[in-house]
Amino acid sequence: MIRYILRRLGYGFLILLGVNLLTFVLFFAVNTPDDMARMNIGGKRVTQDAIDKWKADRGYDKPLFWNAQREGTAKLTETIFFQRSVPLFVFDFGASDTGRDIGYEIKQRIGPSAAVAIPTFLMGTFVAVMLSLGMVFFRHTRLELWSVALAVFLMSISGLFYIIMGQFLFSKVLKLVPVSGFSVGPDLVLFLLLPVAMGILSRLGSEVLFYRTMFLEEIGKDYVRTARAKGLSEAVVLWRHVLRNALLPILTSTVAVLPLLFLGALIMESFFGIPGLGSFTIDAINAQDFAVVRSMVFLGSALYILGLILTDISYTLADPRVRLG
């Protein structure tokens, strides 16, 4: 088991290194350190001395990958890539290009992101699983036909449409919930109702169809026919056998949303004014703050890889046919 975990961690390290390198190359293919300095200082008409000072203060006065003026290992270590990348692997995010402590910002913003993402994830998964089980129970009927059509219709609509229509209908017309904002006090539920509901609705169509396909595949297996031969009702077969055996694939499919539990939904947080990590990332992209962007990309990749490793371990422990080595 230990060798298995270490091997997966080694693969994860290489993936993180590749993601970090790709992010670095893409960003500096668009912007040079001089361009970043001009943008942060405030315009194009700035002196070269001010640009050089800004780069020196933030560590952008070094070569990108190779420092020919140094000797030995310093050729690699005295570079922007090395000094900006290595601390990330111990989750030392450093300071943003505007001087803010990225680690402090993450700690402050992870709460609002989780307050929206966790209920959306848990309730959305529960609703999608229940609806897909109902569709399988009523398969080959008109109810299933119209349910599939409705799911396809929901899946075809952009998530941005749900947000705008939800704000207009429930906030502007009915005045049931605030349009946007966030509160830590007793009003927290009011601010969360609309974004959570729209988050569930926007992903409902695709998830219902995905889980329905998964359950339809399960009901054709031998253990289901055996359960039916023993006289069990269709509802019991679905709830006790099909759902239980499909839980592991469902867990595997939900790993992709693990980073969203911490990084938040970018569009959702921006439109609803939630001060989470999603809006923090959007603001950094607009300001071309490379330090924040690379930190958020690295954190999201690390969480996704962690989810994959945990899923692999769970699958291996649940399947006795798989040998670890």
Side-chain angles (χ1 to χ4, degrees):
M1 173 63 97
I2 296 178
R3 289 175 56 192
Y4 177 83
I5 296 175
L6 291 177
R7 187 164 63 247
R8 290 294 184 268
L9 289 175
Y11 294 154
F13 174 81
L14 294 178
I15 293 173
L16 282 177
L17 185 61
V19 168
N20 194 30
L21 176 61
L22 182 62
T23 306
F24 188 91
V25 171
L26 289 177
F27 191 91
F28 280 102
V30 178
N31 294 294
T32 66
D34 284 8
D35 295 333
M36 296 164 58
R38 291 189 185 95
M39 180 174 297
N40 282 272
I41 293 174
K44 297 182 178 180
R45 296 182 179 180
V46 294
T47 64
Q48 188 61 42
D49 290 340
I51 293 175
D52 294 339
K53 183 179 184 304
W54 185 93
K55 293 193 299 182
D57 292 340
R58 290 157 179 79
Y60 289 117
D61 57 335
K62 301 177 179 62
L64 295 180
F65 295 102
W66 183 259
N67 195 336
Q69 299 179 353
R70 300 291 183 175
E71 299 293 335
T73 57
K75 292 181 178 292
L76 292 174
T77 58
E78 292 295 322
T79 60
I80 298 176
F81 177 74
F82 185 90
Q83 296 185 356
R84 288 279 179 166
S85 299
V86 172
L88 291 178
F89 288 91
V90 293
F91 295 99
D92 179 10
F93 300 106
S96 68
D97 294 337
T98 57
R100 293 181 294 178
D101 187 340
I102 300 177
Y104 175 79
E105 293 288 342
I106 291 176
K107 293 178 182 178
Q108 295 297 312
R109 293 172 178 268
I110 194 172
S113 290
V116 177
I118 291 178
T120 303
F121 167 69
L122 295 178
M123 295 173 62
T125 302
F126 176 79
V127 172
V129 169
M130 293 300 102
L131 290 178
S132 59
L133 276 176
M135 293 169 65
V136 173
F137 182 80
F138 292 103
R139 62 189 179 278
H140 308 310
T141 65
R142 290 184 178 273
L143 181 59
E144 184 201 21
L145 176 63
W146 286 107
S147 298
V148 172
L150 179 59
V152 173
F153 175 76
L154 293 175
M155 184 177 61
S156 304
I157 299 176
S158 171
L160 187 59
F161 175 82
Y162 292 111
I163 296 175
I164 297 175
M165 287 302 298
Q167 288 178 327
F168 174 76
L169 179 62
F170 296 104
S171 298
K172 294 294 186 180
V173 177
L174 300 178
K175 300 186 183 301
L176 297 176
V177 292
V179 177
S180 63
F182 189 81
S183 174
V184 184
D187 295 333
L188 175 62
V189 177
L190 288 177
F191 286 102
L192 292 182
L193 279 176
L194 189 57
V196 169
M198 294 303 101
I200 294 174
L201 186 61
S202 63
R203 52 182 274 201
L204 189 60
S206 58
E207 291 194 356
V208 165
L209 292 178
F210 177 76
Y211 295 144
R212 171 181 171 271
T213 303
M214 192 179 300
F215 292 141
L216 287 175
E217 182 180 352
E218 288 292 325
I219 63 174
K221 295 184 177 178
D222 292 338
Y223 73 89
V224 175
R225 287 191 289 268
T226 302
R228 288 172 181 160
K230 291 181 178 181
L232 296 180
S233 65
E234 189 68 14
V236 173
V237 171
L238 287 176
W239 283 95
R240 290 187 181 179
H241 298 282
V242 174
L243 178 59
R244 181 183 302 175
N245 285 275
L247 283 180
L248 191 58
I250 290 175
L251 175 64
T252 304
S253 66
T254 55
V255 170
V257 303
L258 181 63
L260 297 180
L261 298 180
F262 297 92
L263 298 184
L266 302 182
I267 299 178
M268 187 74 68
E269 290 188 2
S270 297
F271 271 83
F272 285 103
I274 299 171
L277 294 177
S279 59
F280 184 47
T281 305
I282 288 292
D283 293 341
I285 294 174
N286 292 332
Q288 298 191 23
D289 193 325
F290 169 65
V292 175
V293 173
R294 67 175 174 81
S295 297
M296 294 298 101
V297 171
F298 181 89
L299 183 59
S301 302
L303 291 172
Y304 186 76
I305 292 172
L306 176 62
L308 290 178
I309 293 175
L310 293 177
T311 303
D312 286 344
I313 294 174
S314 300
Y315 180 79
T316 304
L317 293 177
D319 191 348
R321 297 172 299 176
V322 179
R323 296 183 59 186
L324 300 179

